[in-house]
Amino acid sequence: MKRSEIKKRPLADTVLASLEPEQVEYRENDGNGLYFRVKPNGQKGWLLRHRKPDGRWGWHGLGSYPEIPAKLARKKAFELRELAAHGVDPVQHKAAQKAAKNAATLNPFRESAEYWYQHKISDGLAEKTLKLIRGYLDNDVLPALGAKPVRDITPTDCANLQAQIEARGATNTRDKVRSALRQIFSQAIARGLCEFNPASELASIATKRPKAVQHPHLLEAELPQFLKALRNSTSRPPALIATYLCLWTASRPGMVRWAEWSEIDFENAQWVIAASKMKSRRDHIIPLSIQTLAALKELHRITGRGRYLFPGIGSKNPVISENTINLTLNKVGYKNKLVGHGSRHTASTLLREHGWDKDHVEAQLAHKEAGVAGIYNQAQYLAQRRAMMQWYSDYLDCLEHGLSSEQRAEFSRRVNKSQVVQLALARA
């Protein structure tokens, strides 16, 4: 129909649908500042004429027709007139809403998590620690939250993620994820990507951690039979030597598995691990007993051409798996009785029972003291530990070869600790 045929307003739907285009664009008043525009090519749409905060008049598009029907156009026009009445420019308001929407879309949680992870890399964390972080990000955090705009994530979202992890009994992972979430959101706040931290109160609803269960370990009376069984093991030499290295040095199995030949100093009988690989974040020197050196020289003939002491089998495994040492112990009959990490407990108990200084034992275990003492007391007690760990290897030999309790007591008395340490200090 021709616009000259319009008889009433607001415009009826039949009118809107049938209005014909003309050679030039025209606008028909629908009422209250709302206009219906018809272009020469037949395109139709809605315009709102409104007064700007500076007093001038302006036009604001409300969308095309029939995508925006008359009823919706009038509703939008009413809302925008209300904004204009309160001094808000509808055009600027729409632009701000679009910018906020784009910002949310362009800032998914995944990007904030990756930003945080890159900071962890630049902090120089150990490769093993970074691998753990990457694991819980990829397996737990990002599948649940990664695609959501960081500003739209709620405390409920975070609580649900925590509950999912708790449901499978992974309380250690739960705690690490909770800490990571707090840090990720704190960084996002600082970068202006969100306004509050939805993970800040997760600890208050977390389930209690189960009581810590000690790693299976052996006491002195159980060692003679075990050492004889281990000596007769049919495991491959690298796996067996890795197990002995845990015993003779009281090192964490992970440290043993990732040991590199460049870290072994045969001349000075020590194993030097860089701070970047240590949980304590400082260099750690492990003295090597005569027994340990002999085993490593034997191992060097087998794996010495490569980077690692205990290379894995296949291209996907640079080093032996985390189960190799425990499987070696299982094969000699000590499944659920001793694990690789439990050898640290065994060494700590035996050394303390035989009078060795607590600080020297803790330094050998690479335990970091809490508080200010842990910051300033970085003494390695290397000479004292060298004497202590040689005594330990010798005493394990005594146990293996069946010395009676009286003979072992005599051995312990005969090896005067102060004299041994003085001798080691003189040689250092």
Side-chain angles (χ1 to χ4, degrees):
M1 65 178 292
K2 305 290 185 181
R3 62 171 172 158
S4 59
E5 299 174 7
I6 298 174
K7 296 181 179 179
K8 63 178 181 178
R9 306 174 194 280
L11 302 172
D13 287 332
T14 54
V15 173
L16 298 173
S18 61
L19 273 176
E20 299 174 1
E22 298 180 358
Q23 291 185 347
V24 296
E25 176 184 305
Y26 66 87
R27 303 164 188 166
E28 283 297 324
N29 187 4
D30 185 73
N32 296 316
L34 180 63
Y35 285 78
F36 188 72
R37 178 176 62 183
V38 181
K39 294 184 177 181
N41 62 3
Q43 291 183 347
K44 302 175 180 180
W46 298 96
L47 293 172
L48 176 67
R49 183 165 174 77
H50 64 94
R51 190 181 294 275
K52 299 179 181 180
D54 61 6
R56 294 184 298 172
W57 288 92
W59 291 95
H60 179 50
L62 302 185
S64 61
Y65 177 89
E67 287 78 6
I68 302 296
K71 185 175 181 180
L72 178 58
R74 290 162 189 150
K75 179 181 178 183
K76 292 175 70 173
F78 174 80
E79 294 172 348
L80 293 175
R81 285 196 300 271
E82 287 291 305
L83 288 174
H86 290 84
V88 178
D89 187 333
V91 176
Q92 295 179 357
H93 177 73
K94 181 179 180 180
Q97 284 186 319
K98 184 177 180 180
K101 183 178 180 180
N102 289 340
T105 304
L106 295 174
N107 291 297
F109 177 83
R110 182 182 302 279
E111 291 186 1
S112 293
E114 293 298 334
Y115 180 89
W116 172 79
Y117 180 69
Q118 292 303 318
H119 269 252
K120 291 299 180 183
I121 294 177
S122 63
D123 288 342
L125 294 184
E127 182 179 349
K128 180 180 178 181
T129 302
L130 289 173
K131 186 177 180 181
L132 289 173
I133 292 174
R134 190 73 258 172
Y136 62 69
L137 281 179
D138 292 341
N139 297 328
D140 292 302
V141 178
L142 296 182
L145 305 176
K148 293 186 177 183
V150 67
R151 67 173 64 247
D152 291 346
I153 294 176
T154 65
T156 301
D157 294 328
C158 297
N160 289 340
L161 173 58
Q162 176 172 268
Q164 289 173 11
I165 299 172
E166 288 178 339
R168 66 174 193 262
T171 53
N172 188 51
T173 299
R174 182 271 317 271
D175 293 345
K176 292 183 182 302
V177 166
R178 184 173 64 234
S179 176
L181 289 177
R182 288 200 303 268
Q183 294 174 32
I184 291 169
F185 284 112
S186 291
Q187 287 183 343
I189 292 171
R191 296 166 64 206
L193 303 181
C194 62
E195 297 180 357
F196 77 104
N197 193 326
S200 62
E201 303 301 325
L202 288 179
S204 64
I205 60 172
T207 59
K208 290 184 178 180
R209 295 192 63 163
K211 291 184 178 180
V213 178
Q214 292 180 342
H215 293 284
H217 60 281
L218 301 178
L219 300 179
E220 182 171 338
E222 301 169 289
L223 287 173
Q225 183 177 352
F226 161 70
L227 292 167
K228 291 175 183 177
L230 188 63
R231 187 69 62 181
N232 294 320
S233 171
T234 59
S235 293
R236 296 171 56 251
L240 187 57
I241 293 174
T243 305
Y244 271 111
L245 194 56
C246 284
L247 292 172
W248 285 328
T249 65
S251 297
R252 295 181 178 90
M255 292 164 53
V256 171
R257 291 172 51 234
W258 290 94
E260 303 179 34
W261 283 116
S262 61
E263 300 168 348
I264 304 299
D265 183 350
F266 284 103
E267 183 178 351
N268 294 303
Q270 59 192 27
W271 172 15
V272 183
I273 307 176
S276 59
K277 294 177 68 175
M278 291 300 300
K279 189 176 182 180
S280 61
R281 313 309 305 147
R282 61 188 184 214
D283 293 345
H284 185 51
I285 301 176
I286 300 173
L288 303 175
S289 66
I290 295 171
Q291 294 89 331
T292 308
L293 283 172
L296 291 180
K297 288 176 180 177
E298 176 185 345
L299 179 67
H300 193 269
R301 290 195 290 270
I302 303 173
T303 67
R305 294 184 180 181
R307 175 182 177 182
Y308 297 105
L309 275 67
F310 307 104
I313 300 175
S315 59
K316 293 184 179 180
N317 304 303
V319 298
I320 57 176
S321 77
E322 58 186 351
N323 295 320
T324 299
I325 293 171
N326 289 343
L327 288 174
T328 301
L329 296 170
N330 294 350
K331 286 176 66 175
V332 296
Y334 280 80
K335 184 176 182 179
N336 299 326
K337 298 178 183 178
L338 176 65
V339 294
H341 206 95
S343 62
R344 290 165 56 79
H345 194 130
T346 295
S348 176
T349 302
L350 195 148
L351 289 168
R352 295 292 293 125
E353 286 179 346
H354 285 271
W356 289 94
D357 188 278
K358 178 183 177 182
D359 289 339
H360 303 166
V361 175
E362 293 297 295
Q364 181 65 25
L365 295 172
H367 283 166
K368 186 175 180 180
E369 294 182 70
V372 177
I375 299 175
Y376 292 102
N377 184 13
Q378 297 195 23
Q380 297 236 9
Y381 306 112
L382 183 58
Q384 295 93 328
R385 289 193 292 118
R386 188 178 298 280
M388 179 178 72
M389 297 313 291
Q390 183 59 59
W391 176 91
Y392 184 59
S393 293
D394 291 341
Y395 195 68
L396 291 180
D397 285 347
C398 290
L399 294 175
E400 180 185 345
H401 291 96
L403 269 66
S404 65
S405 57
E406 292 78 9
Q407 290 172 315
R408 295 199 301 272
E410 177 58 29
F411 174 87
S412 189
R413 284 194 298 270
R414 187 173 73 249
V415 181
N416 185 294
K417 314 277 188 311
S418 61
Q419 291 178 356
V420 172
V421 171
Q422 288 173 8
L423 178 61
L425 287 169
R427 292 175 177 173

